Amino acid sequence: MNRMKIINIPLTVPNAISLYRLFSFPFIMIFIFLGHEKLFAFFIWFNLTTDIVDGWLARKLNQQTEIGSVIDGFADLGTYILAITGIFFFKWSDFQPQAWLFYVFLLFFVISRLYSFIKFRISYGYHTYAAKITGYVNGLFFIVLFFAGFYQWFYLLMIISGIVTFSETILITYLLKERRNHLSSLFALLKERKQV
């Protein structure tokens, strides 16, 4: 008889914030389907802000855990999916003139997550420097898009930084033999491999 594996999640402040982000997803999706653009934008902004806070607190309070990293990864993935869904529902007219760029961005995003899932059964990215910078760029782009408007240069910056980061994720997944949550960069991994 198979027994269900119980996962013990330490109730630290960073983990509680990440869990909030996970549990908020259905409610934010409801805002999308009901057409509440401002509520949707506010809660995505709040989730992006708490994403920064929980990582900072985990490091500051020395509460970084493997399970916390996994929860944070799923919360990041969910936030990405919600933000993309909201763009299609509320802001697609701004994207349409250069929609093909957004489709390329999405293609790299899906490939990076799908490849990681096929190889390691986990579908989120690594906490590299590029991923962190891209996360800030994407978050700022989203906030500006919903609260100030669409800017072409910012759109291109978001697309390029995303494609570079997703490409790095694909290459890291290819090179790794087993799953690792924290890597500073592809170059750091290559340097490690040279030293072995």
Side-chain angles (χ1 to χ4, degrees), residues 82-110:
L82 284 172
I84 290 165
T85 305
I87 284 168
F88 276 108
F89 269 77
F90 299 122
K91 298 293 183 182
W92 190 240
S93 59
D94 292 325
F95 284 65
Q96 271 186 323
Q98 292 188 338
W100 69 272
L101 282 171
F102 195 61
Y103 289 133
V104 171
F105 173 90
L106 290 180
L107 179 66
F108 274 83
F109 171 69
V110 170

PDB file of all heavy atoms in Angstrom, residues 82-110:
ATOM      1  N   LEU A  82       0.269  34.298 -14.126  1.00  0.00           N
ATOM      2  CA  LEU A  82      -0.814  35.256 -13.886  1.00  0.00           C
ATOM      3  C   LEU A  82      -0.565  36.574 -14.621  1.00  0.00           C
ATOM      4  O   LEU A  82      -1.476  37.138 -15.222  1.00  0.00           O
ATOM      5  CB  LEU A  82      -0.948  35.529 -12.386  1.00  0.00           C
ATOM      6  CG  LEU A  82      -1.609  34.450 -11.542  1.00  0.00           C
ATOM      7  CD1 LEU A  82      -1.488  34.795 -10.060  1.00  0.00           C
ATOM      8  CD2 LEU A  82      -3.076  34.270 -11.925  1.00  0.00           C
ATOM      9  N   ALA A  83       0.672  37.064 -14.562  1.00  0.00           N
ATOM     10  CA  ALA A  83       1.010  38.326 -15.235  1.00  0.00           C
ATOM     11  C   ALA A  83       0.798  38.211 -16.742  1.00  0.00           C
ATOM     12  O   ALA A  83       0.222  39.119 -17.368  1.00  0.00           O
ATOM     13  CB  ALA A  83       2.446  38.718 -14.925  1.00  0.00           C
ATOM     14  N   ILE A  84       1.225  37.095 -17.331  1.00  0.00           N
ATOM     15  CA  ILE A  84       1.054  36.877 -18.771  1.00  0.00           C
ATOM     16  C   ILE A  84      -0.427  36.792 -19.130  1.00  0.00           C
ATOM     17  O   ILE A  84      -0.885  37.386 -20.113  1.00  0.00           O
ATOM     18  CB  ILE A  84       1.809  35.605 -19.214  1.00  0.00           C
ATOM     19  CG1 ILE A  84       3.321  35.847 -19.150  1.00  0.00           C
ATOM     20  CG2 ILE A  84       1.397  35.179 -20.620  1.00  0.00           C
ATOM     21  CD1 ILE A  84       4.159  34.583 -19.218  1.00  0.00           C
ATOM     22  N   THR A  85      -1.199  36.089 -18.297  1.00  0.00           N
ATOM     23  CA  THR A  85      -2.650  35.975 -18.522  1.00  0.00           C
ATOM     24  C   THR A  85      -3.306  37.349 -18.467  1.00  0.00           C
ATOM     25  O   THR A  85      -4.144  37.687 -19.318  1.00  0.00           O
ATOM     26  CB  THR A  85      -3.286  35.045 -17.467  1.00  0.00           C
ATOM     27  OG1 THR A  85      -2.616  33.782 -17.481  1.00  0.00           O
ATOM     28  CG2 THR A  85      -4.767  34.834 -17.750  1.00  0.00           C
ATOM     29  N   GLY A  86      -2.906  38.149 -17.476  1.00  0.00           N
ATOM     30  CA  GLY A  86      -3.453  39.500 -17.344  1.00  0.00           C
ATOM     31  C   GLY A  86      -3.120  40.382 -18.532  1.00  0.00           C
ATOM     32  O   GLY A  86      -3.957  41.191 -18.974  1.00  0.00           O
ATOM     33  N   ILE A  87      -1.913  40.224 -19.066  1.00  0.00           N
ATOM     34  CA  ILE A  87      -1.529  40.994 -20.259  1.00  0.00           C
ATOM     35  C   ILE A  87      -2.438  40.645 -21.426  1.00  0.00           C
ATOM     36  O   ILE A  87      -2.922  41.530 -22.144  1.00  0.00           O
ATOM     37  CB  ILE A  87      -0.038  40.738 -20.612  1.00  0.00           C
ATOM     38  CG1 ILE A  87       0.865  41.509 -19.638  1.00  0.00           C
ATOM     39  CG2 ILE A  87       0.269  41.134 -22.057  1.00  0.00           C
ATOM     40  CD1 ILE A  87       2.325  41.131 -19.700  1.00  0.00           C
ATOM     41  N   PHE A  88      -2.714  39.353 -21.636  1.00  0.00           N
ATOM     42  CA  PHE A  88      -3.598  38.939 -22.729  1.00  0.00           C
ATOM     43  C   PHE A  88      -5.016  39.478 -22.538  1.00  0.00           C
ATOM     44  O   PHE A  88      -5.681  39.849 -23.502  1.00  0.00           O
ATOM     45  CB  PHE A  88      -3.632  37.409 -22.857  1.00  0.00           C
ATOM     46  CG  PHE A  88      -2.493  36.853 -23.666  1.00  0.00           C
ATOM     47  CD1 PHE A  88      -1.460  36.159 -23.050  1.00  0.00           C
ATOM     48  CD2 PHE A  88      -2.441  37.042 -25.040  1.00  0.00           C
ATOM     49  CE1 PHE A  88      -0.392  35.644 -23.798  1.00  0.00           C
ATOM     50  CE2 PHE A  88      -1.383  36.535 -25.801  1.00  0.00           C
ATOM     51  CZ  PHE A  88      -0.363  35.841 -25.175  1.00  0.00           C
ATOM     52  N   PHE A  89      -5.480  39.534 -21.303  1.00  0.00           N
ATOM     53  CA  PHE A  89      -6.840  39.992 -21.033  1.00  0.00           C
ATOM     54  C   PHE A  89      -6.984  41.511 -21.088  1.00  0.00           C
ATOM     55  O   PHE A  89      -7.975  42.024 -21.583  1.00  0.00           O
ATOM     56  CB  PHE A  89      -7.303  39.491 -19.659  1.00  0.00           C
ATOM     57  CG  PHE A  89      -8.008  38.169 -19.704  1.00  0.00           C
ATOM     58  CD1 PHE A  89      -7.286  36.998 -19.839  1.00  0.00           C
ATOM     59  CD2 PHE A  89      -9.394  38.097 -19.627  1.00  0.00           C
ATOM     60  CE1 PHE A  89      -7.922  35.773 -19.886  1.00  0.00           C
ATOM     61  CE2 PHE A  89     -10.044  36.874 -19.666  1.00  0.00           C
ATOM     62  CZ  PHE A  89      -9.316  35.706 -19.803  1.00  0.00           C
ATOM     63  N   PHE A  90      -5.996  42.224 -20.536  1.00  0.00           N
ATOM     64  CA  PHE A  90      -6.166  43.665 -20.334  1.00  0.00           C
ATOM     65  C   PHE A  90      -5.329  44.560 -21.258  1.00  0.00           C
ATOM     66  O   PHE A  90      -5.725  45.686 -21.535  1.00  0.00           O
ATOM     67  CB  PHE A  90      -5.824  44.034 -18.882  1.00  0.00           C
ATOM     68  CG  PHE A  90      -6.688  43.373 -17.853  1.00  0.00           C
ATOM     69  CD1 PHE A  90      -6.133  42.578 -16.860  1.00  0.00           C
ATOM     70  CD2 PHE A  90      -8.070  43.549 -17.865  1.00  0.00           C
ATOM     71  CE1 PHE A  90      -6.923  41.966 -15.900  1.00  0.00           C
ATOM     72  CE2 PHE A  90      -8.885  42.942 -16.904  1.00  0.00           C
ATOM     73  CZ  PHE A  90      -8.311  42.145 -15.924  1.00  0.00           C
ATOM     74  N   LYS A  91      -4.163  44.094 -21.714  1.00  0.00           N
ATOM     75  CA  LYS A  91      -3.232  44.989 -22.404  1.00  0.00           C
ATOM     76  C   LYS A  91      -2.802  44.486 -23.775  1.00  0.00           C
ATOM     77  O   LYS A  91      -1.821  44.997 -24.331  1.00  0.00           O
ATOM     78  CB  LYS A  91      -1.969  45.194 -21.532  1.00  0.00           C
ATOM     79  CG  LYS A  91      -2.238  45.857 -20.194  1.00  0.00           C
ATOM     80  CD  LYS A  91      -2.703  47.294 -20.357  1.00  0.00           C
ATOM     81  CE  LYS A  91      -2.900  47.968 -19.015  1.00  0.00           C
ATOM     82  NZ  LYS A  91      -3.398  49.359 -19.163  1.00  0.00           N
ATOM     83  N   TRP A  92      -3.522  43.518 -24.333  1.00  0.00           N
ATOM     84  CA  TRP A  92      -3.056  42.915 -25.565  1.00  0.00           C
ATOM     85  C   TRP A  92      -3.012  43.898 -26.731  1.00  0.00           C
ATOM     86  O   TRP A  92      -2.163  43.773 -27.621  1.00  0.00           O
ATOM     87  CB  TRP A  92      -3.912  41.697 -25.925  1.00  0.00           C
ATOM     88  CG  TRP A  92      -3.323  40.907 -27.039  1.00  0.00           C
ATOM     89  CD1 TRP A  92      -3.872  40.625 -28.243  1.00  0.00           C
ATOM     90  CD2 TRP A  92      -2.008  40.316 -27.076  1.00  0.00           C
ATOM     91  NE1 TRP A  92      -3.015  39.892 -29.032  1.00  0.00           N
ATOM     92  CE2 TRP A  92      -1.858  39.690 -28.329  1.00  0.00           C
ATOM     93  CE3 TRP A  92      -0.952  40.260 -26.165  1.00  0.00           C
ATOM     94  CZ2 TRP A  92      -0.687  39.021 -28.685  1.00  0.00           C
ATOM     95  CZ3 TRP A  92       0.204  39.594 -26.528  1.00  0.00           C
ATOM     96  CH2 TRP A  92       0.325  38.985 -27.785  1.00  0.00           C
ATOM     97  N   SER A  93      -3.867  44.877 -26.732  1.00  0.00           N
ATOM     98  CA  SER A  93      -3.869  45.870 -27.827  1.00  0.00           C
ATOM     99  C   SER A  93      -2.538  46.616 -27.897  1.00  0.00           C
ATOM    100  O   SER A  93      -2.095  47.010 -28.984  1.00  0.00           O
ATOM    101  CB  SER A  93      -5.020  46.867 -27.658  1.00  0.00           C
ATOM    102  OG  SER A  93      -4.902  47.541 -26.422  1.00  0.00           O
ATOM    103  N   ASP A  94      -1.871  46.822 -26.764  1.00  0.00           N
ATOM    104  CA  ASP A  94      -0.553  47.471 -26.745  1.00  0.00           C
ATOM    105  C   ASP A  94       0.526  46.570 -27.346  1.00  0.00           C
ATOM    106  O   ASP A  94       1.487  47.044 -27.936  1.00  0.00           O
ATOM    107  CB  ASP A  94      -0.144  47.823 -25.308  1.00  0.00           C
ATOM    108  CG  ASP A  94      -1.018  48.910 -24.707  1.00  0.00           C
ATOM    109  OD1 ASP A  94      -1.431  49.820 -25.450  1.00  0.00           O
ATOM    110  OD2 ASP A  94      -1.302  48.835 -23.505  1.00  0.00           O
ATOM    111  N   PHE A  95       0.359  45.263 -27.177  1.00  0.00           N
ATOM    112  CA  PHE A  95       1.365  44.292 -27.611  1.00  0.00           C
ATOM    113  C   PHE A  95       1.205  43.880 -29.074  1.00  0.00           C
ATOM    114  O   PHE A  95       2.168  43.431 -29.687  1.00  0.00           O
ATOM    115  CB  PHE A  95       1.295  43.038 -26.723  1.00  0.00           C
ATOM    116  CG  PHE A  95       1.906  43.207 -25.368  1.00  0.00           C
ATOM    117  CD1 PHE A  95       1.370  44.083 -24.443  1.00  0.00           C
ATOM    118  CD2 PHE A  95       3.028  42.482 -25.000  1.00  0.00           C
ATOM    119  CE1 PHE A  95       1.919  44.237 -23.188  1.00  0.00           C
ATOM    120  CE2 PHE A  95       3.595  42.621 -23.750  1.00  0.00           C
ATOM    121  CZ  PHE A  95       3.037  43.506 -22.838  1.00  0.00           C
ATOM    122  N   GLN A  96      -0.010  43.995 -29.598  1.00  0.00           N
ATOM    123  CA  GLN A  96      -0.307  43.454 -30.928  1.00  0.00           C
ATOM    124  C   GLN A  96       0.616  43.903 -32.051  1.00  0.00           C
ATOM    125  O   GLN A  96       1.000  43.081 -32.879  1.00  0.00           O
ATOM    126  CB  GLN A  96      -1.766  43.732 -31.297  1.00  0.00           C
ATOM    127  CG  GLN A  96      -2.683  42.622 -30.838  1.00  0.00           C
ATOM    128  CD  GLN A  96      -4.099  42.798 -31.325  1.00  0.00           C
ATOM    129  OE1 GLN A  96      -4.602  43.913 -31.390  1.00  0.00           O
ATOM    130  NE2 GLN A  96      -4.752  41.702 -31.661  1.00  0.00           N
ATOM    131  N   PRO A  97       1.002  45.190 -32.124  1.00  0.00           N
ATOM    132  CA  PRO A  97       1.890  45.599 -33.232  1.00  0.00           C
ATOM    133  C   PRO A  97       3.199  44.797 -33.304  1.00  0.00           C
ATOM    134  O   PRO A  97       3.747  44.617 -34.382  1.00  0.00           O
ATOM    135  CB  PRO A  97       2.161  47.081 -32.945  1.00  0.00           C
ATOM    136  CG  PRO A  97       0.986  47.525 -32.139  1.00  0.00           C
ATOM    137  CD  PRO A  97       0.614  46.338 -31.301  1.00  0.00           C
ATOM    138  N   GLN A  98       3.714  44.345 -32.145  1.00  0.00           N
ATOM    139  CA  GLN A  98       4.936  43.529 -32.131  1.00  0.00           C
ATOM    140  C   GLN A  98       4.708  42.269 -31.290  1.00  0.00           C
ATOM    141  O   GLN A  98       5.538  41.871 -30.476  1.00  0.00           O
ATOM    142  CB  GLN A  98       6.110  44.335 -31.596  1.00  0.00           C
ATOM    143  CG  GLN A  98       6.526  45.454 -32.541  1.00  0.00           C
ATOM    144  CD  GLN A  98       7.797  46.136 -32.115  1.00  0.00           C
ATOM    145  OE1 GLN A  98       8.188  46.096 -30.968  1.00  0.00           O
ATOM    146  NE2 GLN A  98       8.453  46.779 -33.064  1.00  0.00           N
ATOM    147  N   ALA A  99       3.583  41.636 -31.539  1.00  0.00           N
ATOM    148  CA  ALA A  99       3.203  40.454 -30.763  1.00  0.00           C
ATOM    149  C   ALA A  99       4.186  39.300 -30.964  1.00  0.00           C
ATOM    150  O   ALA A  99       4.412  38.504 -30.052  1.00  0.00           O
ATOM    151  CB  ALA A  99       1.799  40.006 -31.146  1.00  0.00           C
ATOM    152  N   TRP A 100       4.801  39.216 -32.149  1.00  0.00           N
ATOM    153  CA  TRP A 100       5.708  38.106 -32.436  1.00  0.00           C
ATOM    154  C   TRP A 100       6.869  38.060 -31.444  1.00  0.00           C
ATOM    155  O   TRP A 100       7.332  36.974 -31.060  1.00  0.00           O
ATOM    156  CB  TRP A 100       6.217  38.178 -33.877  1.00  0.00           C
ATOM    157  CG  TRP A 100       7.150  39.310 -34.153  1.00  0.00           C
ATOM    158  CD1 TRP A 100       6.817  40.574 -34.537  1.00  0.00           C
ATOM    159  CD2 TRP A 100       8.579  39.289 -34.063  1.00  0.00           C
ATOM    160  NE1 TRP A 100       7.938  41.348 -34.688  1.00  0.00           N
ATOM    161  CE2 TRP A 100       9.039  40.581 -34.406  1.00  0.00           C
ATOM    162  CE3 TRP A 100       9.509  38.303 -33.731  1.00  0.00           C
ATOM    163  CZ2 TRP A 100      10.394  40.904 -34.421  1.00  0.00           C
ATOM    164  CZ3 TRP A 100      10.859  38.637 -33.745  1.00  0.00           C
ATOM    165  CH2 TRP A 100      11.286  39.927 -34.088  1.00  0.00           C
ATOM    166  N   LEU A 101       7.324  39.246 -30.993  1.00  0.00           N
ATOM    167  CA  LEU A 101       8.401  39.287 -29.994  1.00  0.00           C
ATOM    168  C   LEU A 101       7.945  38.663 -28.683  1.00  0.00           C
ATOM    169  O   LEU A 101       8.695  37.932 -28.037  1.00  0.00           O
ATOM    170  CB  LEU A 101       8.828  40.740 -29.750  1.00  0.00           C
ATOM    171  CG  LEU A 101       9.722  41.392 -30.796  1.00  0.00           C
ATOM    172  CD1 LEU A 101       9.877  42.878 -30.514  1.00  0.00           C
ATOM    173  CD2 LEU A 101      11.085  40.723 -30.831  1.00  0.00           C
ATOM    174  N   PHE A 102       6.717  38.949 -28.302  1.00  0.00           N
ATOM    175  CA  PHE A 102       6.182  38.389 -27.072  1.00  0.00           C
ATOM    176  C   PHE A 102       6.024  36.878 -27.189  1.00  0.00           C
ATOM    177  O   PHE A 102       6.273  36.143 -26.236  1.00  0.00           O
ATOM    178  CB  PHE A 102       4.843  39.049 -26.729  1.00  0.00           C
ATOM    179  CG  PHE A 102       4.390  38.806 -25.311  1.00  0.00           C
ATOM    180  CD1 PHE A 102       5.156  39.234 -24.240  1.00  0.00           C
ATOM    181  CD2 PHE A 102       3.199  38.149 -25.059  1.00  0.00           C
ATOM    182  CE1 PHE A 102       4.737  39.006 -22.926  1.00  0.00           C
ATOM    183  CE2 PHE A 102       2.772  37.924 -23.758  1.00  0.00           C
ATOM    184  CZ  PHE A 102       3.543  38.361 -22.694  1.00  0.00           C
ATOM    185  N   TYR A 103       5.640  36.410 -28.370  1.00  0.00           N
ATOM    186  CA  TYR A 103       5.516  34.965 -28.594  1.00  0.00           C
ATOM    187  C   TYR A 103       6.879  34.267 -28.510  1.00  0.00           C
ATOM    188  O   TYR A 103       6.981  33.154 -27.983  1.00  0.00           O
ATOM    189  CB  TYR A 103       4.861  34.679 -29.943  1.00  0.00           C
ATOM    190  CG  TYR A 103       3.396  35.027 -29.993  1.00  0.00           C
ATOM    191  CD1 TYR A 103       2.867  35.741 -31.058  1.00  0.00           C
ATOM    192  CD2 TYR A 103       2.531  34.639 -28.973  1.00  0.00           C
ATOM    193  CE1 TYR A 103       1.514  36.065 -31.109  1.00  0.00           C
ATOM    194  CE2 TYR A 103       1.176  34.956 -29.017  1.00  0.00           C
ATOM    195  CZ  TYR A 103       0.674  35.669 -30.082  1.00  0.00           C
ATOM    196  OH  TYR A 103      -0.657  35.983 -30.124  1.00  0.00           O
ATOM    197  N   VAL A 104       7.931  34.916 -29.016  1.00  0.00           N
ATOM    198  CA  VAL A 104       9.293  34.365 -28.907  1.00  0.00           C
ATOM    199  C   VAL A 104       9.700  34.303 -27.433  1.00  0.00           C
ATOM    200  O   VAL A 104      10.246  33.292 -26.959  1.00  0.00           O
ATOM    201  CB  VAL A 104      10.311  35.202 -29.725  1.00  0.00           C
ATOM    202  CG1 VAL A 104      11.742  34.761 -29.427  1.00  0.00           C
ATOM    203  CG2 VAL A 104      10.019  35.095 -31.213  1.00  0.00           C
ATOM    204  N   PHE A 105       9.420  35.382 -26.702  1.00  0.00           N
ATOM    205  CA  PHE A 105       9.665  35.442 -25.258  1.00  0.00           C
ATOM    206  C   PHE A 105       8.977  34.274 -24.547  1.00  0.00           C
ATOM    207  O   PHE A 105       9.595  33.553 -23.751  1.00  0.00           O
ATOM    208  CB  PHE A 105       9.153  36.791 -24.734  1.00  0.00           C
ATOM    209  CG  PHE A 105       9.180  36.959 -23.241  1.00  0.00           C
ATOM    210  CD1 PHE A 105      10.296  37.491 -22.604  1.00  0.00           C
ATOM    211  CD2 PHE A 105       8.075  36.623 -22.462  1.00  0.00           C
ATOM    212  CE1 PHE A 105      10.314  37.672 -21.226  1.00  0.00           C
ATOM    213  CE2 PHE A 105       8.083  36.800 -21.087  1.00  0.00           C
ATOM    214  CZ  PHE A 105       9.209  37.326 -20.471  1.00  0.00           C
ATOM    215  N   LEU A 106       7.691  34.063 -24.862  1.00  0.00           N
ATOM    216  CA  LEU A 106       6.917  32.983 -24.245  1.00  0.00           C
ATOM    217  C   LEU A 106       7.465  31.604 -24.625  1.00  0.00           C
ATOM    218  O   LEU A 106       7.485  30.694 -23.797  1.00  0.00           O
ATOM    219  CB  LEU A 106       5.443  33.078 -24.641  1.00  0.00           C
ATOM    220  CG  LEU A 106       4.646  34.249 -24.061  1.00  0.00           C
ATOM    221  CD1 LEU A 106       3.207  34.210 -24.557  1.00  0.00           C
ATOM    222  CD2 LEU A 106       4.678  34.231 -22.541  1.00  0.00           C
ATOM    223  N   LEU A 107       7.900  31.460 -25.872  1.00  0.00           N
ATOM    224  CA  LEU A 107       8.460  30.191 -26.330  1.00  0.00           C
ATOM    225  C   LEU A 107       9.694  29.811 -25.510  1.00  0.00           C
ATOM    226  O   LEU A 107       9.823  28.670 -25.037  1.00  0.00           O
ATOM    227  CB  LEU A 107       8.804  30.271 -27.817  1.00  0.00           C
ATOM    228  CG  LEU A 107       9.421  29.007 -28.435  1.00  0.00           C
ATOM    229  CD1 LEU A 107       8.410  27.858 -28.426  1.00  0.00           C
ATOM    230  CD2 LEU A 107       9.902  29.288 -29.852  1.00  0.00           C
ATOM    231  N   PHE A 108      10.609  30.772 -25.319  1.00  0.00           N
ATOM    232  CA  PHE A 108      11.814  30.517 -24.520  1.00  0.00           C
ATOM    233  C   PHE A 108      11.441  30.211 -23.066  1.00  0.00           C
ATOM    234  O   PHE A 108      12.042  29.335 -22.434  1.00  0.00           O
ATOM    235  CB  PHE A 108      12.768  31.712 -24.587  1.00  0.00           C
ATOM    236  CG  PHE A 108      13.699  31.676 -25.769  1.00  0.00           C
ATOM    237  CD1 PHE A 108      13.282  32.129 -27.008  1.00  0.00           C
ATOM    238  CD2 PHE A 108      14.981  31.178 -25.637  1.00  0.00           C
ATOM    239  CE1 PHE A 108      14.128  32.089 -28.104  1.00  0.00           C
ATOM    240  CE2 PHE A 108      15.851  31.138 -26.717  1.00  0.00           C
ATOM    241  CZ  PHE A 108      15.415  31.585 -27.955  1.00  0.00           C
ATOM    242  N   PHE A 109      10.455  30.938 -22.545  1.00  0.00           N
ATOM    243  CA  PHE A 109       9.985  30.707 -21.173  1.00  0.00           C
ATOM    244  C   PHE A 109       9.458  29.278 -21.008  1.00  0.00           C
ATOM    245  O   PHE A 109       9.860  28.561 -20.083  1.00  0.00           O
ATOM    246  CB  PHE A 109       8.877  31.718 -20.838  1.00  0.00           C
ATOM    247  CG  PHE A 109       8.167  31.456 -19.541  1.00  0.00           C
ATOM    248  CD1 PHE A 109       8.810  31.617 -18.322  1.00  0.00           C
ATOM    249  CD2 PHE A 109       6.841  31.047 -19.533  1.00  0.00           C
ATOM    250  CE1 PHE A 109       8.149  31.373 -17.125  1.00  0.00           C
ATOM    251  CE2 PHE A 109       6.169  30.790 -18.345  1.00  0.00           C
ATOM    252  CZ  PHE A 109       6.825  30.966 -17.139  1.00  0.00           C
ATOM    253  N   VAL A 110       8.598  28.851 -21.926  1.00  0.00           N
ATOM    254  CA  VAL A 110       7.994  27.512 -21.855  1.00  0.00           C
ATOM    255  C   VAL A 110       9.053  26.426 -22.019  1.00  0.00           C
ATOM    256  O   VAL A 110       9.070  25.441 -21.271  1.00  0.00           O
ATOM    257  CB  VAL A 110       6.872  27.361 -22.916  1.00  0.00           C
ATOM    258  CG1 VAL A 110       6.417  25.909 -23.017  1.00  0.00           C
ATOM    259  CG2 VAL A 110       5.695  28.265 -22.580  1.00  0.00           C
TER     260      VAL A 110
END
